[in-house]
Amino acid sequence: MLKKKEVIFDSLLIAVGFLLLIFSCIRYGLKIDIKLFSLLLIVMLILDNLGIKYTDIKLSISPVITIASFLVYGTESSTLLAVLSIMIETIFFRKKVKNGFLNGAMFSITYIVAGRVYEFLGGEFGRFSLNQLKYIIIYVLASFVINYFILYYTLKFQGKVLFKKYWAESSILELVSYFVMIPFAIFFANAYLKYGTYIFIYHVIPLILLAYFIRAFRDLYKANQKLNALYEMVKIINSKLDLDKTLEAIVYVTEKVVTVSGIAIYLKDQNGFIVKEKIKCSEESKNAFKDVYMNDEGLIGKVVYEGKPVIIDNLRSDKHYFDSNISEHYDSAIVVPLKNADKIIGCISVFQNEINAFDVDSLKIMEALSEQSSIAIMNAIMYFEISKKSITDPLTKTYNRRFFDQVLHDSVTKSAADKIPVSLIMLDVDKFKNINDTYGHVIGDAVLREIASRIKRCVRSNDIVARYGGEEFSVILPNLTAEQACVIAERIRYEVSSKPIKTDVGDITITVSAGVADYPNKAESAEKLVSHADRALYAGCKTKGRDRVAVYEI
């Protein structure tokens, strides 16, 4: 559906733009000499090729020539000059035929409408006075607004709206550059009107040199940005970040050094399943990243499977890496594998909304980033594993006593601040000593592991299950009263006792008893919460036959 709308919109834009240009040229005529027109066109092409790429916008100082020719020769001549310049640059230099016609139509509508507004308000051609400055500013402002209005809807119908941050930054930057160019345009127009073509050309040479130095400065600035980004990546590696923060930092650094419309980072396990992903894109492009696999399928899967970085100039025409979801939203890409030693652990992929958007330098910087990112990711994973081991009971894989004490204290503090309850279940395996004495500690350990597994199946994802000590377990239940926690305790008791545990010595039937208390209703501190749940366990269960649940009563 989106593709059909895009075709209709593009066709209408091209038809309206070129019909308007043809009508205006026939109706009002061209007032410029063909030799001068050709010369100005060459100058504009040079300035365009010295332009600076910023997101999906290319900034250059060629509008100086457009505005100057507008002031001297009027709307039609300057519009035709701008249209031919952008079409030649887009079609022949950037090899984008459709975009060339779209840009030409866009410039046609933009400059003709802005020119008519200028004339309607009283602006004049062929001479300049200070009184005309306000009309020139209106012309520039009108052309900017019209151009961005058309550009926005062109991208929207293509489903390729830029990040809001980039859109705002690039539009403001271009608007500022237009206003900076107004004095230059007035100067060139006056130089031509007073002194003729040769003096005008003499003054154009410094303009080309200025564009060259701006481009060189921008390249130097970008190179410095890349070095700083790599330095930041090294800082990430040396910091103790968790995995999510590491991936966010990698996205942040990548955006600094490569102009992108979308970023996706994927991490996989040994079986090829995606275990972690970090995606940043426009809302309209989210469907590009659905149904991504790591088994030699689609763009991401193939690159990860092959283990080699790729740069794709045209996602729609590339047969080997074709991915219908991604190519529907993006035109070009770089995908670089993430490696740990010789093993592929995932990939970083960047995308752009136009073909041929990335060059070899972009690929090299992405490869350098991927090497540093791989180290940062592995450090984060190892840090997580070490942290997890320090808080995990090695036998039952539940949390240990030290972590339980910390979380219970934090939960009670949060409960007091938010005025919500927190409950505690203390569980004890009934007559567990008999199992150890009869079958030995190996079988006893197997029983404890299975009981822990059954407890975890009965609680919520945000509940904390810990081995309190020996055969005793505890469960912290945020935002539940003791009566509500009692329901979960009953579920655990039934899950443990309803079916025997299979062991190497045969089936063993086991039961558990549970005591429940909550804060603040039945305890005024973390210590009292443990004490009261424990008292409910022994006074309400152990002394009354076991295999039951009791709630602490004040």
Side-chain angles (χ1 to χ4, degrees), residues 376-409:
I377 288 167
M378 290 311 301
N379 282 354
I381 291 172
M382 286 194 301
Y383 179 74
F384 172 76
E385 292 297 329
I386 291 169
S387 301
K388 188 176 178 181
K389 285 180 181 178
S390 71
I391 61 174
T392 303
D393 174 59
L395 175 64
T396 61
K397 306 304 179 188
T398 59
Y399 292 110
N400 59 23
R401 172 69 180 274
R402 183 171 66 87
F403 185 70
F404 164 80
D405 289 338
Q406 176 188 328
V407 172
L408 185 64
H409 181 271

Side-chain angles (χ1 to χ4, degrees), residues 2-15 18 86-87 89-92 94-106 154-155 157-160 314 316 327-328 330-331 353-355:
L2 186 64
K3 189 71 176 176
K4 186 178 179 181
K5 286 183 178 179
E6 178 188 345
V7 171
I8 293 171
F9 181 85
D10 290 352
S11 301
L12 282 173
L13 178 61
I14 291 170
F18 285 99
I86 192 66
M87 288 186 68
E89 199 272 335
T90 307
I91 295 172
F92 294 100
R94 287 197 275 162
K95 310 295 183 186
K96 300 171 184 178
V97 177
K98 188 186 84 168
N99 283 4
F101 282 96
L102 285 172
N103 288 339
M106 195 185 314
T154 301
L155 292 174
F157 275 100
Q158 292 175 355
K160 299 173 183 176
N314 191 331
R316 290 185 177 89
S327 62
E328 187 177 339
Y330 297 106
D331 294 309
N353 286 334
E354 60 176 64
I355 62 174

Side-chain angles (χ1 to χ4, degrees), residues 21 54 60 99 115 171 179-180 210 242 277 331-332 371 373 377 453 478 489-490 529-530:
L21 180 61
Y54 189 87
S60 81
N99 283 4
S171 59
F179 280 107
V180 169
L210 176 63
D242 64 28
E277 64 181 36
D331 294 309
S332 54
E371 290 178 12
S373 298
I377 288 167
S453 177
E490 278 288 357
L529 187 56
V530 174

Side-chain angles (χ1 to χ4, degrees), residues 130 169 225 229 310 325 423 479 516 537:
L130 197 60
E169 287 179 0
Q225 267 195 319
V310 297
N325 286 338
S423 290
N479 204 24
V516 183
L537 168 64

Side-chain angles (χ1 to χ4, degrees), residues 119-136:
E119 292 178 69
F120 176 78
L121 293 174
E124 298 178 355
F125 302 111
R127 67 188 188 89
F128 175 76
S129 63
L130 197 60
N131 188 50
Q132 278 187 266
L133 182 59
K134 61 184 177 184
Y135 301 123
I136 297 171

Side-chain angles (χ1 to χ4, degrees), residues 328-474:
E328 187 177 339
H329 296 273
Y330 297 106
D331 294 309
S332 54
I334 293 177
V335 185
V336 183
L338 293 164
K339 296 182 180 180
N340 176 32
D342 292 330
K343 293 182 180 178
I344 306 295
I345 61 170
C347 70
I348 304 177
S349 48
V350 294
F351 304 91
Q352 256 289 11
N353 286 334
E354 60 176 64
I355 62 174
N356 302 311
F358 301 108
D359 55 18
V360 175
D361 286 340
S362 298
L363 179 60
K364 286 180 180 177
I365 196 67
M366 285 304 301
E367 288 181 283
L369 279 174
S370 73
E371 290 178 12
Q372 302 300 324
S373 298
S374 298
I375 299 170
I377 288 167
M378 290 311 301
N379 282 354
I381 291 172
M382 286 194 301
Y383 179 74
F384 172 76
E385 292 297 329
I386 291 169
S387 301
K388 188 176 178 181
K389 285 180 181 178
S390 71
I391 61 174
T392 303
D393 174 59
L395 175 64
T396 61
K397 306 304 179 188
T398 59
Y399 292 110
N400 59 23
R401 172 69 180 274
R402 183 171 66 87
F403 185 70
F404 164 80
D405 289 338
Q406 176 188 328
V407 172
L408 185 64
H409 181 271
D410 292 344
S411 298
V412 168
T413 302
K414 181 173 171 40
S415 174
D418 297 344
K419 301 193 182 316
I420 56 173
V422 59
S423 290
L424 176 66
I425 301 174
M426 297 296 290
L427 292 142
D428 186 75
V429 182
D430 296 328
K431 298 182 179 179
F432 182 72
K433 186 175 182 300
N434 292 344
I435 294 173
N436 276 340
D437 292 344
T438 305
Y439 303 110
H441 288 284
V442 173
I443 298 301
D445 288 349
V447 169
L448 286 177
R449 280 195 295 270
E450 177 59 24
I451 290 172
S453 177
R454 293 184 184 187
I455 293 171
K456 286 191 281 188
R457 288 201 295 267
C458 294
V459 300
R460 302 168 300 172
S461 60
N462 63 328
D463 296 332
I464 300 295
V465 179
R467 186 182 181 191
Y468 193 76
E471 69 273 18
E472 200 168 8
F473 294 88
S474 56

